[in-house]
Structure formats: structure tokens, C-alpha cells
Amino acid sequence: MLRHLKPTAGEKKLKHLTLFKWLTVLTCLVMFLATFGGGIVTKTESGLGCGNEWPLCNGKLVPAHTVASLIEYSHRAVSALAGLLSIASFVAFLRFGKQRRDLQLFSLLTLIFVIIQGIMGAFAVVFSQSSAVMALHFGFALIAFASSLMMALGIRQEAKHGGLERLNQYPRVSKGFRNLVWFSTIYTYLVVYTGAFVSHTNSAGGCSGFPLCNGQVVPELSGGVAVAFAHRLAAVSLVIVIAILGHFAYRKHPDNRELRTLGVLSVGLILLQVVIGMIMMWTISRPEIYMFVALAHMLDIAILFGILTYMSFLVYKLHRPANRF
């Protein structure tokens, strides 16, 4: 009879990498659905579809089949699944991923921000919250999604390239470019917050027309007009920032195909965001179309923020001396 052979260290690592890869991909996918679902809840005004109760929905474990209750309850279920998967990812990395401290950190950030946004969501249902606080709900969900994306990309690199050693072949990036990427990422998050604030204050109609706001270069700044106009100014400046980032990523790094590709994608996504924003202005009086355009607007900025987050991590590593990974 053949003896049962114990798996080698290499076989164990391969098994763990395979499990990690599927776990992180699933976590990232569900996290994205939770983030996207939050946008659907906001755009359809289904936040109180289950009344002022949590975790029950109108006093029941399984809600009545109304559109608002189904949307809100589905979002709760997906968010709960995202929470469970983030716990599983964190425990897995804590136990088996000790050689990748960066991925342990991303799994921790995913878990923390899932918990925070879950608590905020529950409080928003049970207690009324200000628009400023509610806008943070989407922002925290975006951080959780970006962190889960970093986990998934990190494990993919670990399985495909054996870790971060591949970065040693790339030239180092300058401190100025590193800071530009970090600034672009942080500023994108702030602009996202202003957009979420527009949604939660119902100020989307404050500026009609494009590119002028209510037919004026600078409209009368009051109420929803001021909120919508401030978001427009922030969005215009973001286009300029991302264009500068894309230029330096592409022109100054000819030997780093990955950075160049990310720079081009960033510019493409921000230009697409502008086009979607224009379509939003043209369809705002047709809610059956406007809702889908607004969701596309949210989807595009979420992908852009994920790319910028990855770029931030990449330039952090490439700014350090080689062979220090």
C-alpha cells in the first residue's frame, strides 16, 4: 500500500492562495453590490421601506412584498453578507497571510468600514440623521469596497508573480508623483462626498442646464443651488487633477506599463463621468431614465476611486528603494 504523503509547504501555500483568491474576489464582488445597493436605496428613496425598525422589516423577519421594502431588505441582506465575508477574509489573512502585512491591513480596513457603515445604516433607519452624516455612509462604503479590491488584487499578484518582488524591476517613482497620486485619491473622495451630499439633500435639480447653472456662470447661491453648484466646481477641478495625473503617469513612466495603463484608465473614467453628468442634467425631468443614469454616475466614480487607491499603493511601494518588499 502507498503511504499517505503529507502536503509539502509549497502545496499548502498554493492551496491557501487558491482559497484566498476566491474568498477575496467574492468579498470584493459582494462589497461592490452592497455599495451599489446603497445607491439604489438612495435614488429610489427606499431608506424607510422597512419603517423605523432594524434588523426587522416592518416588524417581520421577511417583509411584505412592496418595492421599497424589497429594495431596502435586499440591501440589508447583501450588506450583512459583505460583513460576514469581511470577517472571514480578516481571520484568513490574520492566520495564514502573515507574510503580507499590507493585505492584513486591507482586510482590517474592509472589516472596520463595513462595520461602521452598517452601524450608520441602522442608525439612519432607527434615528433620523442629517444629510451631512448620511453622505458619509456612501463614503465609508466606498472605502470598504476599495480595501476589498486591494485584497483581491494583492492575492492575484501573489498567485501570479509570487508577491511584490516583481516591482523591483520597475524604476522608482519620484516623491512628487507619489504625492500627486495620493492627493488625487484623497481629493476624489472629497468630491464623491459632495456628490453624495447633493443626493441626500435632494439638490440635484439645483443647477439646471449644462455647462451653465440655471443659465448663469455663477448663479444665486442659496439652498440647493449652492450645494449643486459647489459639486460642479469640485467636479470640474477633479477633471483637471486627473488629467494632470494621467499626463505624468503616461509621459514620465515609459518603462512602467502598469502605471501608464492606470493613468489612461483614470483619464478615460473621469471623462466618462463628465459625459454621464451631462446626461443626468438632460434627463433629470424623466425619473425613469434619470435613476439609471445616476447609478451609472456612481458606478463610474467607484471604479475610478478603486483604480486611484491601487495607484496610491503602487507608488508607495515604488517610491521605496528596491528589494525592500
Side-chain angles (χ1 to χ4, degrees):
M1 295 178 64
L2 294 176
R3 291 184 177 181
H4 176 69
L5 298 178
K6 291 184 178 180
T8 64
E11 290 173 337
K12 287 183 178 180
K13 182 179 180 180
L14 181 61
K15 181 180 179 181
H16 289 159
L17 282 176
T18 302
L19 292 175
F20 279 9
K21 185 169 67 174
W22 288 110
L23 177 59
T24 55
V25 168
L26 183 59
T27 302
C28 183
L29 175 61
V30 175
M31 202 68 65
F32 172 77
L33 292 176
T35 304
F36 192 69
I40 295 177
V41 169
T42 300
K43 296 301 179 184
T44 58
E45 299 182 351
S46 302
L48 294 179
C50 288
N52 294 103
E53 299 179 42
W54 192 93
L56 297 179
C57 185
N58 295 321
K60 299 178 180 179
L61 184 61
V62 179
H65 297 300
T66 63
V67 174
S69 64
L70 285 175
I71 292 175
E72 169 64 12
Y73 198 72
S74 297
H75 176 55
R76 290 187 187 184
V78 173
S79 297
L81 179 58
L84 293 174
L85 287 171
S86 64
I87 292 174
S89 296
F90 176 68
V91 172
F93 278 106
L94 198 63
R95 184 174 179 184
F96 301 110
K98 295 180 180 179
Q99 75 281 5
R100 291 295 301 269
R101 297 293 183 183
D102 54 333
L103 298 184
Q104 285 186 334
L105 175 61
F106 291 132
S107 67
L108 176 62
L109 290 175
T110 302
L111 178 59
I112 289 175
F113 282 100
V114 164
I115 292 174
I116 291 176
Q117 65 119 350
I119 293 174
M120 289 185 68
F123 270 64
V125 171
V126 179
F127 309 102
S128 60
Q129 301 289 320
S130 67
S131 298
V133 173
M134 284 306 300
L136 285 173
H137 186 55
F138 177 69
F140 289 151
L142 198 59
I143 294 177
F145 164 66
S147 299
S148 67
L149 178 63
M150 293 302 296
M151 280 197 304
L153 291 175
I155 281 298
R156 179 179 178 275
Q157 291 173 349
E158 188 76 27
K160 188 174 181 180
H161 302 288
L164 298 171
E165 288 76 14
R166 70 183 182 86
L167 298 182
N168 289 326
Q169 63 183 307
Y170 292 145
R172 303 299 92 183
V173 301
S174 67
K175 181 179 179 180
F177 182 71
R178 182 201 66 182
N179 292 342
L180 174 61
V181 174
W182 288 358
F183 172 78
S184 302
T185 305
I186 294 171
Y187 189 62
T188 299
Y189 183 81
L190 295 177
V191 175
V192 167
Y193 177 80
T194 65
F197 190 69
V198 168
S199 295
H200 286 286
T201 55
N202 294 316
S203 302
C207 274
S208 61
F210 187 90
L212 299 180
C213 178
N214 301 328
Q216 297 175 296
V217 176
V218 180
E220 181 181 348
L221 301 178
S222 60
V225 177
V227 175
F229 186 67
H231 176 60
R232 280 199 181 188
L233 290 179
V236 169
S237 60
L238 179 61
V239 173
I240 297 172
V241 168
I242 298 299
I244 294 172
L245 173 66
H247 169 76
F248 281 104
Y250 190 84
R251 300 292 296 179
K252 301 298 182 180
H253 302 90
D255 297 324
N256 192 326
R257 183 179 178 183
E258 191 169 12
L259 268 183
R260 300 184 88 187
T261 300
L262 292 172
V264 171
L265 285 175
S266 298
V267 173
L269 286 169
I270 197 63
L271 292 178
L272 178 60
Q273 188 76 340
V274 172
V275 173
I276 296 174
M278 293 168 57
I279 297 175
M280 286 177 65
M281 292 298 99
W282 297 332
T283 60
I284 196 168
S285 60
R286 302 182 63 182
E288 71 281 3
I289 299 176
Y290 175 80
M291 185 186 74
F292 293 102
V293 179
L295 290 175
H297 197 61
M298 184 191 73
L299 172 64
D300 183 79
I301 200 66
I303 296 173
L304 174 61
F305 185 72
I307 287 176
L308 292 175
T309 302
Y310 178 63
M311 284 186 73
S312 296
F313 173 75
L314 195 60
V315 296
Y316 166 70
K317 291 296 186 182
L318 291 178
H319 178 66
R320 303 173 70 189
N323 299 315
R324 287 190 60 184
F325 302 129

